[in-house]
Amino acid sequence: MTDWSEPIRKKGFVLNFQTKKLQEISDRHITNPCRSVEEYEKLNMLGQGTYGVVYRVRDKKTKKEYALKKVKVDRDLFRDGFPVACLREISILKSCKHENIVDLKEVVVGEQLEKIFLVMEYCEQDLASLLDNLEKPFSESEVKCIIMQLLRGLEYLHGHYIIHRDIKVSNLLLTDTGCLKIADFGLARTFSVPQKSMTPGLVTLWYRPPELLLGSPNQSTAIDMWAVGCILGELLSHKPLLPGTSEISQINLIVDLLGTPSESIWPGFKDLPALQNFNLRQQPYNNLKTRFPYLSQVGLRLLNFLFMYDPMKRATAVECLQSSYFKEAPLPADPKLMPSFPQHRNLKASTSSMTSGRTRTQERVGNSNISDILGNVLKKKRFE
């Protein structure tokens, strides 16, 4: 009688297109079958987003706790095989091994073909809900600790030709030992040199860089670095830095903070698609120093470097980690000495307590193309 829990041992063959001969499949390409999701006990929901629902679960055998992400899949897509987007996320997560990137333990399945779940290491906090419930804001030393870990994770990703494309506080997890983990790779993509065009406008609105807002077809690691600047500003000011409600609103907030870009500081700026339909408001001043009067000169320099309009000149993760900002007082806190917090996501009253904090429902507003939003309201003009 066959034991279906045992690994598949039967040898198979594939056709080698170079030699035109059948080639035996090696043992290293034969894997165990996926376990059932029923082997995990569901405890509570941790979060829900556009690309999946995440639960806290417990392995019934080992009693260890994990995060279980139910991947949102269109049933009809299975007619053409396993969804490419889901395969991409699993492939990227399996290839990443770094202390600041969430670890994928295994993939489990439900009774129906389209029910797919990712089992990942469990982290006690996500930064968004933590910020919504903090009684006392993070100190500058703690902010530096968080940002340095984020930069190390991005240094690893970018060094392995991976763009996350959705860096935001709700996708950053924290353990009780102070370790930050980058999570949710549903939008992540690998890139090559030279880079190819990718689907535009997917980065969450509050953290979306100006090149995407203005319709640039090119995407690089610079879009992740703009988001780092937004998160650094958010942690330092204790509130979202650029909380736009639409693409136009988002552009105006950026211009208010950094001034109006020009061809001299951003070559190719005047040729961006969105600028064929409207004029940016003229605002000649960089107001970062006004917004952060307590920040040191090297801190302001780092923020300016992260907020360079030209993606080619924007800071890289490697460059940021070498910044003097992390070497001056107050020095970054040791992750092990970071404070611990109540696990708000696991409390029965978490829904009511989180809704009383800062609302983040506007984060994904504005995914439509800015040219469609403008319509006939604004006259077609160009920068000269």
Side-chain angles (χ1 to χ4, degrees):
M1 186 174 179
T2 304
D3 185 354
W4 295 106
S5 64
E6 288 295 316
I8 298 172
R9 297 299 182 191
K10 185 178 180 180
K11 291 287 185 178
F13 295 86
V14 293
L15 178 65
N16 188 318
F17 288 98
Q18 291 182 327
T19 63
K20 307 298 183 182
K21 296 180 179 179
L22 289 176
Q23 181 176 314
E24 190 177 56
I25 299 175
S26 65
D27 289 337
R28 65 190 181 91
H29 291 136
I30 300 176
T31 60
N32 294 332
C34 292
R35 293 206 297 165
S36 169
V37 70
E38 296 299 325
E39 297 190 33
Y40 289 91
E41 175 190 358
K42 187 186 297 183
L43 300 177
N44 60 277
M45 190 172 75
L46 296 175
Q48 183 172 1
T50 306
Y51 299 94
V53 183
V54 183
Y55 301 93
R56 181 170 68 104
V57 297
R58 182 185 293 118
D59 190 314
K60 292 179 180 179
K61 292 182 179 179
T62 65
K63 305 303 180 184
K64 290 184 178 180
E65 292 187 3
Y66 297 95
L68 181 78
K69 178 179 178 179
K70 181 180 180 182
V71 180
K72 287 186 178 179
V73 176
D74 187 342
R75 187 169 191 153
D76 293 335
L77 293 178
F78 275 89
R79 296 174 183 175
D80 299 321
F82 200 86
V84 175
C86 189
L87 275 175
R88 185 185 296 128
E89 180 177 8
I90 294 171
S91 176
I92 289 175
L93 279 171
K94 284 181 69 68
S95 69
C96 292
K97 298 296 177 185
H98 190 273
E99 63 176 348
N100 297 123
I101 296 172
V102 69
D103 186 32
L104 175 65
K105 299 295 183 183
E106 65 173 332
V107 179
V108 296
V109 294
E111 294 180 356
Q112 280 78 40
L113 186 62
E114 72 277 6
K115 289 189 176 181
I116 305 166
F117 304 84
L118 308 183
V119 181
M120 295 169 285
E121 63 177 315
Y122 172 66
C123 299
E124 288 76 12
Q125 307 284 350
D126 75 82
L127 196 54
S129 61
L130 187 56
L131 291 174
D132 286 340
N133 291 278
L134 275 181
E135 294 182 2
K136 181 181 177 182
F138 285 117
S139 66
E140 189 171 1
S141 177
E142 293 165 349
V143 169
K144 289 183 179 181
C145 174
I146 292 171
I147 294 298
M148 282 196 72
Q149 292 186 79
L150 172 57
L151 289 169
R152 290 192 186 107
L154 288 176
E155 178 188 27
Y156 175 88
L157 289 177
H158 296 168
H160 287 76
Y161 300 95
I162 298 169
I163 310 175
H164 187 279
R165 300 205 306 167
D166 201 17
I167 295 294
K168 57 181 178 180
V169 289
S170 56
N171 285 342
L172 302 180
L173 309 179
L174 280 175
T175 69
D176 276 350
T177 57
C179 184
L180 178 136
K181 307 275 186 179
I182 301 173
D184 198 343
F185 283 73
L187 295 179
R189 292 285 298 270
T190 55
F191 65 92
S192 59
V193 179
Q195 294 183 11
K196 300 178 181 179
S197 60
M198 301 181 189
T199 307
L202 290 176
V203 181
T204 298
L205 184 62
W206 292 2
Y207 306 89
R208 194 178 303 172
E211 62 267 26
L212 295 191
L213 289 167
L214 296 175
S216 172
N218 300 318
Q219 296 185 30
S220 68
T221 57
I223 67 177
D224 287 345
M225 300 312 299
W226 178 275
V228 173
C230 294
I231 293 171
L232 175 56
E234 182 169 348
L235 294 176
L236 290 171
S237 61
H238 314 140
K239 60 183 180 180
L241 185 65
L242 299 166
T245 56
S246 67
E247 288 189 332
I248 299 174
S249 166
Q250 193 70 22
I251 291 173
N252 285 333
L253 288 175
I254 293 172
V255 169
D256 287 341
L257 182 65
L258 303 174
T260 307
S262 64
E263 189 70 18
S264 61
I265 64 172
W266 187 358
F269 162 72
K270 66 179 181 179
D271 298 322
L272 290 171
L275 294 178
Q276 313 312 308
N277 292 320
F278 75 106
N279 253 343
L280 288 183
R281 183 168 50 81
Q282 293 302 305
Q283 198 284 101
Y285 304 107
N286 183 314
N287 290 312
L288 278 175
K289 188 172 184 179
T290 304
R291 182 74 72 90
F292 301 97
Y294 44 82
L295 199 57
S296 67
Q297 287 299 316
V298 289
L300 287 170
R301 186 188 306 166
L302 176 61
L303 268 180
N304 273 298
F305 205 7
L306 286 165
F307 284 140
M308 293 290 281
Y309 273 119
D310 186 351
M312 299 293 292
K313 299 175 184 176
R314 199 170 298 153
T316 65
V318 174
E319 291 169 334
C320 290
L321 285 169
Q322 297 171 350
S323 171
S324 300
Y325 178 62
F326 299 111
K327 301 172 185 176
E328 68 172 8
L331 293 173
D334 186 327
K336 296 179 182 178
L337 300 179
M338 288 284 286
S340 58
F341 306 93
Q343 297 182 28
H344 299 283
R345 297 181 300 171
N346 300 333
L347 300 176
K348 291 183 179 180
S350 61
T351 303
S352 59
S353 65
M354 287 176 65
T355 53
S356 64
R358 299 170 301 159
T359 176
R360 296 181 177 276
T361 56
Q362 296 295 328
E363 283 186 345
R364 285 200 174 274
V365 174
N367 281 332
S368 57
N369 188 281
I370 193 168
S371 300
D372 298 333
I373 297 174
L374 288 169
N376 297 321
V377 177
L378 298 172
K379 294 181 179 180
K380 186 176 181 180
K381 293 183 180 181
R382 288 175 180 257
F383 269 96
E384 298 181 356

